[in-house]
Amino acid sequence: MTQKGNSAKNPAGTGPPQASITRRAFLKRMGLLGGGIIVYGALGDVAALARAPREGYIGAGVPIDFNAFLRIGADSRVTCFVGKIEMGQGPITSFAQMAAEALDVSYESVDMVMGDTGRCPWDAGTWGSLSTRFYGIFVKEAAAEAKGVLKALAAERLLCPMSRLSTKNGIVFDRDRPMSRVSYGELTRGNIIERHLETLPPPKPTSEYTISGKPYLRRDAMDKVTGRAKFTADMRLPGMRYARILRPPAHGARRIRVDTSGAEQMKDVQVLREGDMVAVLHPDPDGAAAALERISADYDVPDTGINDETIFQHLLEHAPAPAVASEAGSLDSGESSSQSIIEETYLNSYVAHAPMEPHAALAAVEDGKAKIWASTQTPFGVQQQVAQALGLPAEKVRIIAPFVGGGFGGKSASAQAVEAALLARRAGSPVMVVWTREEEFFFDTFRPAAVVKIRSGLNGAGRISLWDYQVYFAGKRGCENFYDIPHHREAVYGEWRIAPGIHPFAVGPWRAPAANTNVFARDLHMNIMAAKAGIDPLAFRLHHLSDDRMRGVLEAAARQFGWTPAKTPSGRGYGISCGIDAETYVAAMAEVAVDRKSGGIEVKRVVCAQDMGEVVNPQGATLQMEGCITMGLGYALSEEVHFRNGRLLDVNFDTYAIPRFSSLPAIETVIVPNPSIGPKGGGEPAIVCMGGVLATAVYDATGAVVRQLPMTPERVKEALKQAG
Amino acid sequence: MTQTIQFTLNGSPVSIDVDEERTLLWVLRDDLSLTGAKFGCGEGLCGACTILLDGEAVPSCQLTAGYAAGKKITTIEGLEQDGRLHTVQKAFIKYDALQCGFCTPGMILRAVALLSANPEPSSDQILSAMDGNLCRCGAHVRIIQAVQTASEAMKGGRS
Ligand code: FES
Ligand code: FES
């Protein structure tokens, strides 16, 4: 999307992931961009590659040349290009802050261009709370280097030694003679300048920050409150037609007959077949829907016997060999040093992403080129997929992700873009595909159902002596042990990624994949152990913690919450949970009331404390925490995908219950300052505690252990019955 | 059947020739180029398509074009007056009451309808009035603050 950006002509696409852009190709591309002036200051590739801390970042194809990230116009406005997309998590604001800070220009003078494969540097995708943590560093480095080159240019222009120069508000000036000054725009005007910096300037100390670390309101707010913000389905092209695609009634269904004659007779309807795909096009969505209804088809739907209740047994039976995520000591020694053993199994149902914006794509394919607007978290991945589907080189395919109406991992997969591209080519006119809510549920890449088995032991001193943790199909993230436990082992049986033959439909990353399941199981189990040891659950955790960051967030949450020690169940309904996600430490406490008759849970209050390192935009970070807490109520209490034989029984918001205004608790957030360690993830961590904090709160309120999420009234009643 | 349908749209009279059975949401978005109302569920379950019909907040995905005849319709695009934002819009900006922004037009119009029917709603009244509008990003806390602030500002005659 473009935010206050200049409209530039479409250059050739950036093509597939590449180690770096060659200088010639790069200059050519920048020339095509028009406007603005290039300051060329790249180091040799080898030296530059060593700069950015790319380990852990799936992004070997991120260009090293700062010009790929920034352009300084003759008017001194700065355009910042990032391959990330804006889906609500706020990078459109935080990247502008980071670029402005590092470059010493005003925040207002930075325009953002995001998620456009034709203009932005390659990026792996927007997920995993990586945007600020890793990509942000690239942007900061690019800006710092650009500033260094600008100073070198100014030194020549002002006939002044570099050491006397300072930068502020887009101006380089001589500290001894403040009238001797030149703007960035004047420096770059009219020339392409190649410069090499011997060494990258040292990063600006955070103590000198005036923009980063300050709360900024969203820069896209004005467009979003006036309806001017364009999402994919809001794009229009002349001659565009809406598509509806014939869908099977169930996953695994095989089509044995299709009759399109009814639709073919309708006015303005085009019936298309593209491979297996049968689709209708019409100038308006009602017409397309009516045409689809006139197509009849029969399917074979196999009886798999798998449904939302049998799935857990199925998963256990089909588990692959485990990968050990972390371990210490030996389980045998742990076993023999334990006085009591506690063994539990925890279950997690499939959960949908259900963003308010369904997947959408508008495709125009002509003259061997494709241009596609798509709601996606992975524009560069979609570029490859579309190129492959159309048999075009990737540089002939341009993907633009305008504002995205929520993703949460669900728009990492973007099959709708390929559908639109294929249909547009076949139809010879632009085609819009907007999934219905039913399609959105059907094709969602759900958070996988999962099983966690924990066998743990307590020694005579009330300390954990054994922790044998096995997680099936949720994945590794968040299961690693951070407590002081002498004998532990975390075994991971299968990841959250698609596992052929295991899940009845697609699964994929769901906001903080795996961590929600792992933290829920660990914290509920910790509280069962604390109860057995007769110790307050916060004290029990602190006894086993030497990690200062974890102690810090727990203590901060406890202070805000007003936690007072008591043994579980205290009847107060207090819950506690903590974890590490995206290198951020997070702790939550909650208060609930349980209606024993109905099994209903009322969440009264949630407190969340987070140590996320350096905070670029505290306002944005707080928003993300509140969003995580609110969204997390859903998977903890009400969200669950029901299915039978590949048929989905929840296809809209009537039965798939996401959090609403009426389910809202009081929410309090605390950011524990820790600026020295750089920015850590912020879009996901606070959601990982929600299952654990509410399950432990229900346990504290009633003594009932609800071992399956979501904690529906039926499950609560069942657990109450068992607790007696 | 194609008919000429007349109604007031964002303060101005419009007359369009359209099949009266078509969904009002699509007519607004495609024929009248007002894409502020969003498609979220198509079943009246999410509120993304909310518009004001004679001042009342309604899901336009559940209405036909013919139903609009003779009525007054306001979409999010019509809320600004002489280039000035509505108090509720301002409050949404001030409280960062949005993330992805997809639910935002519907949320704002729902709040506008609430405040014109009940200028001083209690917290519970706000919660129940807004309950049919879904937000997946979890901007709820901010939205409530924004609605409360707008209510106070409107009461005080400020905007
Ligand atoms: S689209 Fe109309 S209520 Fe959801
Ligand atoms: S802000 Fe994204 S759905 Fe409400």
Side-chain angles (χ1 to χ4, degrees), chain B residues 19-91:
Chain B
D19 180 344
E20 59 179 345
E21 288 301 313
R22 279 183 53 205
T23 306
L24 183 56
L25 172 63
W26 301 131
V27 172
L28 290 169
R29 290 177 51 83
D30 286 309
D31 302 44
L32 296 162
S33 299
L34 297 172
T35 56
K38 307 297 183 201
F39 170 83
C41 71
E43 303 271 350
L45 299 168
C46 77
C49 63
T50 301
I51 58 166
L52 299 184
L53 192 88
D54 288 343
E56 217 185 300
V58 290
S60 60
C61 74
Q62 295 301 295
L63 301 176
T64 59
Y67 191 75
K71 305 233 169 36
K72 272 203 190 78
I73 289 181
T74 305
T75 68
I76 190 71
E77 291 90 344
L79 222 46
E80 262 174 287
Q81 293 289 332
D82 310 320
R84 291 178 56 223
L85 293 182
H86 190 281
T87 309
V88 174
Q89 289 173 308
K90 281 193 218 161

Side-chain angles (χ1 to χ4, degrees), chain A residues 86-89 216-218 220-222 224-231 233-236 240 242 283-286 351-358 403-406 408 434-438 510-511 619-620 622-624 626-628 630-631 634 639 652-654 656 658-665 667, chain B residues 21-24 26-31 33-48 76-80 85 88-105 107-108 126-145 147:
Chain A
E86 173 61 66
M87 55 182 168
Q89 76 294 29
Y216 275 76
L217 293 172
R218 305 187 59 93
D220 50 4
M222 179 59 99
K224 288 180 174 175
V225 303
T226 53
R228 286 197 281 270
K230 294 279 186 244
F231 297 81
D234 303 334
M235 298 297 166
R236 298 288 177 264
M240 162 189 130
Y242 284 92
D284 77 66
D286 286 322
V351 174
H353 294 90
M356 295 319 298
E357 177 204 30
F403 285 117
V404 176
F408 319 109
V434 180
W435 284 355
T436 61
R437 185 50 64 181
E438 189 170 355
W510 193 98
R511 204 168 191 176
Q619 174 82 1
T622 303
L623 240 63
Q624 284 299 304
E626 291 169 355
C628 277
T630 307
M631 186 178 185
E639 287 182 39
N652 215 319
F653 296 115
D654 47 352
Y656 191 85
I658 69 171
R660 303 173 165 264
F661 283 97
S662 52
S663 36
L664 221 59
I667 294 175
Chain B
E21 288 301 313
R22 279 183 53 205
T23 306
L24 183 56
W26 301 131
V27 172
L28 290 169
R29 290 177 51 83
D30 286 309
D31 302 44
S33 299
L34 297 172
T35 56
K38 307 297 183 201
F39 170 83
C41 71
E43 303 271 350
L45 299 168
C46 77
I76 190 71
E77 291 90 344
L79 222 46
E80 262 174 287
L85 293 182
V88 174
Q89 289 173 308
K90 281 193 218 161
F92 267 62
I93 293 180
K94 180 161 171 218
Y95 284 93
D96 257 342
L98 54 113
Q99 292 184 27
C100 79
F102 199 78
C103 69
T104 310
M107 290 285 181
I108 290 176
I126 295 176
L127 293 182
S128 69
M130 304 295 294
D131 212 38
N133 285 53
L134 301 181
C135 171
R136 187 54 159 166
C137 298
H140 303 72
V141 183
R142 303 287 165 144
I143 293 171
I144 294 167
Q145 281 173 343
V147 176

Side-chain angles (χ1 to χ4, degrees), chain A residues 86 177 208 288 292 347 426 483 503 514 626 629 650 657 721:
Chain A
E86 173 61 66
R177 295 177 297 153
E208 286 173 22
L292 185 65
L347 307 177
R426 173 116 340 205
Y483 290 107
H503 302 284
E626 291 169 355
I629 292 164
D650 299 299
K721 217 176 345 163

